[in-house]
Amino acid sequence: MTHRVALVAQNPGLPFVFEAAGRAGCLITLVALPGVTVPAGLPNVESVVELDIFGDPGGAHAWLEGRHASQPFDAIITLYEAAGPFTAEAARRLGLRGIGPEAARICRDKYRQRDAMRQAGLDVPGYRLIDPVADIGSQITGLRFPLVVKPVNGLSSQGVSRADNLADVTAAVDLVQIINSSQLASYADASHAERTGVLAEEFIDGPEYCVEAVSSPQGTTVLAITDKGNLQGPYFEERTFITPAPLDPGTSARIIDAVRVAHRQIGIDFGASHTELRLRADGTPVLLEIGARMGGSGTVHYLVETASGVDFLGAVLHQATCGVLPTLHPTQQRFAADWIVPVTGHGVYAGLVGAEEVRRHPATGMLLELMRPGTPVPAWPRFVGYPAFVLSSHASYRDCQDYHTWLEDTIAITWA
């Protein structure tokens, strides 16, 4: 049986969801954002439509409703963080399965997430919603330095910076305001469900992890815990992901319990999720944020499948189209890694040096180049996209580390 799926705002340079659609018996209508170039011949894509889901959400909903009336969709999904509220609302309007719109909105508001986690009894850092036009010093009274300042509805670590004193906080708030007005406000204005703003919270100085899970009304199943290192700032450009993380069973159990509690509190009861957290010195997990979507626009599918043998995207598509999750049996297979080529500068992107050498390495699974030559790239923590992902498979955690050290010396951006 063929299922028709509307896939919203997917990066066409990431192949995983298009390949998984074939395994799940799905044909995709790709809803592309304005200005995104979609190459011909994407697997299992039967049509492409450009819809401005942020600038004209009403028009986008109307098009989807018209198509659904004549050629019904079996599901509508997104793997893109900013498109979560629109997609949840579209599923509600079309009578399709999906996460509830209110849960999707909470997942796009880091302040509301903090409130929800605190109400659930979870450990959270001290935090404040900052009014940029009021006295900042009085607003952060009681918080312990260092702080992390970030946009309320940010994504991909843009605008996130560490502040060690009041002057740093003031500069970071100013930067977030610029990013809010130039980029993030478009998401908030369009969805009528988000807000821009500035959040300040205490920095948790401990190792960072992310958790990949899938949920149903029966509960949340954790498929992988991934090691993200221990970035110290001043900015937090993501670099390394290694699955599974080298954690003792007790720490893993505490992380899984906290993730499940947060999902119940927020109302995440359908589809994939991506949770980021740090550990305190005593091993207590502090959840930083939850995305009601698959991590890395689908890239974590490679990590989960390589490390555990679970067809993550296949399971997500099966649940979306058929209403139930297939039986999942994660088992240790290999260690999988994702290394994001760092920006480490700014200018006009020209390409990568060392790419072919990386492709020839026996541990390399794939090198996905995502940025086009000629793209203007600002300095972090402003963000316009990741240059490339290097995905790999290894026999041990140490092999992953050694491979990433080799990548540091081998591949880099070239600037025009």
Side-chain angles (χ1 to χ4, degrees):
M1 179 179 179
T2 299
H3 303 285
R4 286 193 158 81
V5 176
L7 176 63
V8 179
Q10 176 62 24
N11 185 334
L14 298 174
F16 308 103
V17 68
F18 304 110
E19 295 169 353
R23 299 191 298 273
C26 298
L27 288 176
I28 291 173
T29 295
L30 179 59
V31 178
L33 298 178
V36 173
T37 301
V38 178
L42 286 174
N44 305 301
V45 173
E46 65 173 345
S47 63
V48 178
V49 58
E50 183 178 288
L51 298 178
D52 190 356
I53 66 169
F54 300 119
D56 182 19
H61 283 303
W63 188 93
L64 288 166
E65 290 163 10
R67 172 60 66 89
H68 186 62
S70 62
Q71 194 174 32
F73 296 114
D74 296 292
I76 181 167
I77 66 169
T78 188
L79 281 64
Y80 179 49
E81 171 74 20
F86 173 88
T87 305
E89 176 62 20
R92 185 193 67 79
R93 292 182 181 218
L94 300 177
L96 299 174
R97 306 173 186 92
I99 188 174
E102 178 64 6
R105 289 191 286 268
I106 294 173
C107 287
R108 289 292 296 135
D109 189 319
K110 294 174 175 44
Y111 181 75
R112 293 187 67 190
Q113 284 191 42
R114 292 289 175 282
D115 280 350
M117 292 173 191
R118 184 179 61 182
Q119 290 165 13
L122 296 171
D123 190 352
V124 298
Y127 62 100
R128 300 284 190 279
L129 189 65
I130 300 298
D131 180 354
V133 301
D135 177 67
I136 292 176
S138 62
Q139 294 181 74
I140 61 173
T141 298
L143 297 183
R144 292 169 296 185
F145 284 103
L147 303 179
V148 176
V149 179
K150 60 180 66 173
V152 168
N153 71 328
L155 64 164
S156 302
S157 299
Q158 63 179 323
V160 181
S161 56
R162 172 172 165 158
D164 293 324
N165 51 55
L166 179 57
D168 287 350
V169 174
T170 301
V173 169
D174 289 343
L175 177 59
V176 170
Q177 283 295 90
I178 293 170
I179 292 172
N180 281 344
S181 62
S182 63
Q183 291 179 270
L184 297 175
S186 63
Y187 304 144
D189 292 345
S191 72
H192 303 290
E194 296 183 26
R195 59 176 166 184
T196 57
V198 185
L199 182 70
E201 64 187 27
E202 295 173 350
F203 174 67
I204 306 300
D205 188 5
E208 187 170 358
Y209 302 92
C210 56
V211 179
E212 312 307 332
V214 63
S215 297
S216 72
Q218 288 71 48
T220 295
T221 300
V222 169
L223 298 176
I225 302 176
T226 296
D227 184 359
K228 290 185 64 180
N230 188 0
L231 296 174
Q232 294 290 306
Y235 307 125
F236 298 89
E237 182 181 359
E238 294 181 328
R239 182 75 61 86
T240 63
F241 298 78
I242 300 176
T243 307
L247 294 167
D248 64 81
T251 302
S252 295
R254 286 193 292 274
I255 290 172
I256 291 170
D257 286 346
V259 168
R260 287 174 172 163
V261 169
H263 280 55
R264 288 196 297 270
Q265 181 70 22
I266 293 172
I268 301 173
D269 61 0
F270 196 90
S273 64
H274 174 80
T275 304
E276 298 181 351
L277 63 105
R278 285 185 180 248
L279 292 181
R280 294 196 187 274
D282 64 358
T284 301
V286 181
L287 273 56
L288 301 177
E289 58 186 74
I290 300 177
R293 43 81 189 175
M294 188 172 292
S297 293
T299 307
V300 299
H301 166 83
Y302 175 92
L303 300 181
V304 170
E305 185 174 51
T306 302
S308 72
V310 170
D311 182 357
F312 194 4
L313 272 164
V316 167
L317 287 168
H318 187 274
Q319 182 192 34
T321 55
C322 301
V324 295
L325 281 169
T327 302
L328 303 174
H329 295 294
T331 57
Q332 176 67 50
Q333 304 284 322
R334 300 270 292 171
F335 285 81
D338 179 11
W339 192 80
I340 301 177
V341 175
V343 173
T344 62
H346 58 91
V348 177
Y349 178 79
L352 297 174
V353 62
E356 290 311 311
E357 187 175 355
V358 169
R359 286 191 173 97
R360 289 193 298 268
H361 194 287
T364 303
M366 60 185 71
L367 168 58
L368 299 172
E369 297 188 55
L370 303 176
M371 191 171 285
R372 290 187 166 197
T375 300
V377 179
W380 275 89
R382 303 188 190 187
F383 176 81
V384 294
Y386 294 114
F389 297 144
V390 183
L391 303 172
S392 57
S393 173
H394 308 267
S396 71
Y397 180 84
R398 179 58 185 268
D399 287 346
C400 293
Q401 292 179 307
D402 291 344
Y403 177 74
H404 285 172
T405 299
W406 177 79
L407 288 174
E408 292 273 4
D409 298 329
T410 304
I411 189 169
I413 285 177
T414 59
W415 302 100

